[in-house]
Amino acid sequence: MNYRPNFNLAAFDSLESQQKRLSLLCKTAEIGEWSYVFSTDFTVWSDYLYDFYELDKDFECAELLQSTQLYQGSEKEKMQALIAHVTATKKERSDDFMIVMQDGRVKWHTTTIHPILDAYGEITGLYGIVQNITVRKNSELDLQRMAYVAEKTNGIVMITDPEKKIIWINNSFEEILGYRSEEVIGLDPAAFLQGEETSAETIREIARSLRGGGTFSGEILNYTKSGEKIWLYLNIAAVYDDAGKLINYVAVENDITVIKTAEHRLQKAMEKERELNRFKTQFVSLASHQFRTPLATIRSSIDLLDLRMESAGLNASFIEFFQKHKAIMAEETTRMTELMENILDIGRIDEGKIELTKKHLPFRQFMDAFVQSNVEPNEQQRKLDYHFDAPDCIVNIDEIVLRNVLRNIVSNAFKYSEGKQAPEMTVKLQDGVYLITVKDYGIGIPEKDQAFLFQSFFRASNAKVYPGSGLGLMIAKKLITLHGGDISLESRAGSGCTITIQLPV
């Protein structure tokens, strides 16, 4: 391939550039994508899906079926069944869906869901491709108009007779696939477009779909005249006359090779990340266990020295000096031990080895007891400004785990607001979810740091002078997630911080 002298290949091939081009391609082709990871219960959409569903960018993607009326009746059940089928069989599957907008407009789309598998073949998530097919579903075009429109489009368009022999192709067919019209008229496209790596299951699915409903939508690997592989997103629709007799098939194909390449790269990157996380967890767990013994030995030796000091007849000044540094050593070994325990907890959570011991109890009783036993651990002895502004419901929680999560958040509120107004804790009930809010008036968190606060060992840039490991919030989020809840944060540097825990009743 030839390049112009001033063409920046590195910039063109950068991840940012690829993402921008992929976004433009998806918008042009009216194709969106989404992914869902089981371990984090997190769903992410590509930009086009927000446009297709006409939703704001702050919409919670995972709530599409539950919190909107876009999918109604059998369409909602069909989508749930498609997700369940792919999850159970670990095989990709497609189906067409109808959604109803708030103003009554109807849209159609095809969703293809792929299972995401790890190195052991276990399913870890789902990857979906959504294509807007409203025009195809709602338009009744005769062949002449279809041919005219098809000639002007950049996508591949092909018309066949009822026996699937080609009777017309557009210019894009020639430009993209390399075949001239006179070479393919009268041929079955499967005879020259498919190759050894074309999925036999996809070929059978096309035949089944056309026999059943007269339409097919999905991906297929084809080959150009020069033998290059090309991924196409294929839409085939049967055309009937007024008497219901089949007269043609119309195929519209979009080149999604770039998308499939990006998908393959994403899959490889996810596999590498999973492998790295497994290695990291194993290493950290081993290192943490190895640290336990010397830390215990140090604490034991400090205690033995303390006992020895009492009977050694040493002068008072030396004893005072020793006691001062003994306290420092004890504090640091305790902090190191807590750090190791936190790291081991992270490993156990990631490996699914932490099981909650839940029990039913009145939530107000639990919160009242927690607040009474948690005051500032220094000479200020500030108390939380506490308000339980909600009905008292019975909750099913692991009392010890939730108490540790709250203690971590409250201790941070005291630590980072020393000398300021006492932190506030409020409890409210909204839509069957308790909202536990802890607000302090301390140093706050710079905006540039907030996206990373729930990551391992990350500490805000203005908090480095305060002791801490950068693990508390991450562990808290993981443990609240195990309860089916979530944690969010709002802050501004110099204006305090607000942590909100969402805990379902």
Side-chain angles (χ1 to χ4, degrees):
M1 183 180 291
N2 296 321
Y3 301 105
R4 294 182 178 179
N6 61 347
F7 180 76
N8 189 334
L9 180 59
F12 180 80
D13 201 41
S14 68
L15 179 59
E16 181 181 3
S17 176
Q18 291 177 10
Q19 289 174 336
K20 288 180 179 178
R21 298 200 306 275
L22 181 58
S23 178
L24 288 172
L25 286 169
C26 289
K27 187 172 183 179
T28 301
E30 294 191 299
I31 294 175
E33 60 178 341
W34 56 264
S35 63
Y36 170 71
V37 179
F38 292 155
S39 61
T40 60
D41 194 26
F42 184 69
T43 303
V44 62
W45 283 0
S46 65
D47 287 344
Y48 177 73
L49 290 187
Y50 292 98
D51 296 335
F52 177 71
Y53 289 113
E54 300 178 21
L55 296 168
D56 294 333
K57 290 293 179 67
D58 59 356
F59 177 76
E60 183 61 47
C61 312
E63 298 298 320
L64 180 66
L65 294 180
Q66 286 74 28
S67 64
T68 73
Q69 297 298 317
L70 293 170
Y71 292 87
Q72 299 181 2
S74 61
E75 293 299 308
K76 181 176 180 180
E77 295 175 0
K78 187 167 66 169
M79 177 62 79
Q80 292 171 334
L82 178 64
I83 294 171
H85 178 85
V86 175
T87 302
T89 63
K90 303 180 185 177
K91 294 181 179 179
E92 69 176 68
R93 193 178 179 91
S94 300
D95 211 339
D96 291 351
F97 296 90
M98 181 186 75
I99 61 174
V100 181
M101 312 309 293
Q102 287 186 348
D103 59 4
R105 287 178 294 116
V106 171
K107 287 186 175 182
W108 289 86
H109 70 85
T110 293
T111 286
T112 303
I113 301 180
H114 305 258
I116 300 175
L117 307 177
D118 61 19
Y120 302 101
E122 296 299 321
I123 188 168
T124 61
L126 300 173
Y127 173 76
I129 296 177
V130 177
Q131 184 178 29
N132 185 352
I133 59 170
T134 304
V135 174
R136 177 174 65 80
K137 283 284 187 179
N138 293 341
S139 299
E140 294 287 340
L141 299 174
D142 58 35
L143 289 181
Q144 182 178 4
R145 186 178 177 189
M146 289 172 58
Y148 175 78
V149 174
E151 197 65 69
K152 304 300 181 181
T153 185
N154 291 327
I156 297 170
V157 180
M158 173 176 55
I159 301 175
T160 74
D161 62 19
E163 286 72 43
K164 302 183 181 66
K165 300 296 191 299
I166 297 174
I167 61 174
W168 186 87
I169 61 173
N170 68 343
N171 289 336
S172 294
F173 189 105
E174 298 182 359
E175 294 170 0
I176 295 173
L177 297 175
Y179 291 97
R180 298 190 307 276
S181 176
E182 57 268 25
E183 294 179 279
V184 299
I185 295 298
L187 298 181
D188 185 332
F192 60 92
L193 291 180
Q194 297 170 8
E196 58 181 11
E197 294 187 38
T198 302
S199 169
E201 177 57 33
T202 300
I203 296 171
R204 289 191 291 269
E205 181 61 28
I206 292 174
R208 285 194 296 267
S209 297
L210 294 182
R211 284 196 304 269
T215 63
F216 171 81
S217 295
E219 300 172 358
I220 188 168
L221 175 64
N222 279 345
Y223 292 81
T224 67
K225 185 177 180 179
S226 62
E228 295 179 0
K229 296 177 184 178
I230 181 171
W231 279 97
L232 299 173
Y233 195 87
L234 176 62
N235 288 280
I236 305 176
V239 180
Y240 300 91
D241 61 17
D242 293 339
K245 179 182 177 182
L246 175 66
I247 56 175
N248 294 102
Y249 288 106
V250 178
V252 180
E253 305 173 12
N254 291 292
D255 184 355
I256 59 168
T257 305
V258 173
I259 297 175
K260 294 296 290 185
T261 301
E263 178 186 334
H264 178 67
R265 290 178 179 174
L266 176 63
Q267 182 70 28
K268 290 182 66 176
M270 292 176 64
E271 290 174 0
K272 288 182 179 179
E273 182 178 358
R274 284 192 291 269
E275 185 63 29
L276 179 61
N277 285 337
R278 282 194 295 271
F279 173 77
K280 180 183 69 175
T281 300
Q282 293 171 359
F283 172 78
V284 169
S285 178
L286 176 62
S288 299
H289 281 294
Q290 294 300 318
F291 272 116
R292 279 179 161 182
T293 299
L295 285 172
T297 302
I298 292 172
R299 287 198 302 270
S300 176
S301 297
I302 292 172
D303 293 338
L304 289 173
L305 286 171
D306 196 20
L307 291 173
R308 183 66 176 171
M309 290 287 293
E310 295 178 0
S311 60
L314 300 172
N315 62 64
S317 62
F318 180 80
I319 292 176
E320 181 182 358
F321 176 81
F322 173 80
Q323 292 296 339
K324 174 183 176 182
H325 287 277
K326 172 205 165 185
I328 294 173
M329 288 186 289
E331 180 181 350
E332 293 303 319
T333 53
T334 298
R335 183 178 300 166
M336 192 68 171
T337 301
E338 290 176 351
L339 174 62
M340 293 300 102
E341 291 298 329
N342 284 340
I343 293 173
L344 287 173
D345 283 343
I346 292 173
R348 286 191 286 263
I349 293 172
D350 288 341
E351 293 175 7
K353 294 182 178 179
I354 284 189
E355 294 185 3
L356 300 180
T357 304
K358 292 184 177 182
K359 62 180 181 180
H360 293 85
L361 72 163
F363 193 54
R364 179 155 196 168
Q365 174 184 321
F366 168 81
M367 290 301 302
D368 289 350
F370 170 81
V371 172
Q372 290 175 8
S373 62
N374 281 270
V375 298
E376 190 170 18
N378 56 31
E379 63 277 1
Q380 292 188 57
Q381 292 288 293
R382 290 179 297 169
K383 296 182 179 180
L384 290 167
D385 185 3
Y386 168 61
H387 302 278
F388 195 100
D389 300 329
D392 189 12
C393 299
I394 300 297
V395 292
N396 187 26
I397 59 173
D398 188 315
E399 189 174 5
I400 296 174
V401 167
L402 186 57
R403 187 182 296 117
N404 288 339
V405 169
L406 292 173
R407 185 180 294 119
N408 177 276
I409 293 172
V410 168
S411 66
N412 281 346
F414 280 128
K415 178 168 63 175
Y416 296 119
S417 67
E418 187 174 353
K420 303 288 186 179
Q421 176 181 339
E424 301 170 1
M425 173 179 274
T426 59
V427 180
K428 296 183 178 181
L429 183 64
Q430 181 177 317
D431 298 328
V433 175
Y434 272 121
L435 302 179
I436 310 165
T437 302
V438 179
K439 179 179 180 180
D440 68 62
Y441 296 88
I443 63 173
I445 302 166
E447 185 176 353
K448 64 183 179 63
D449 295 337
Q450 293 180 21
F452 309 100
L453 283 174
F454 294 102
Q455 296 182 5
S456 301
F457 301 106
F458 182 85
R459 305 195 68 214
S461 55
N462 61 341
K464 301 298 175 63
V465 297
Y466 296 87
S469 63
L471 292 174
L473 281 179
M474 177 195 180
I475 295 175
K477 188 175 182 69
K478 287 179 177 288
L479 292 175
I480 289 297
T481 300
L482 289 178
H483 276 86
D486 197 8
I487 295 181
S488 59
L489 176 147
E490 293 181 7
S491 183
R492 191 171 62 183
S495 300
C497 178
T498 300
I499 301 283
T500 301
I501 296 176
Q502 302 175 37
L503 188 68
V505 175

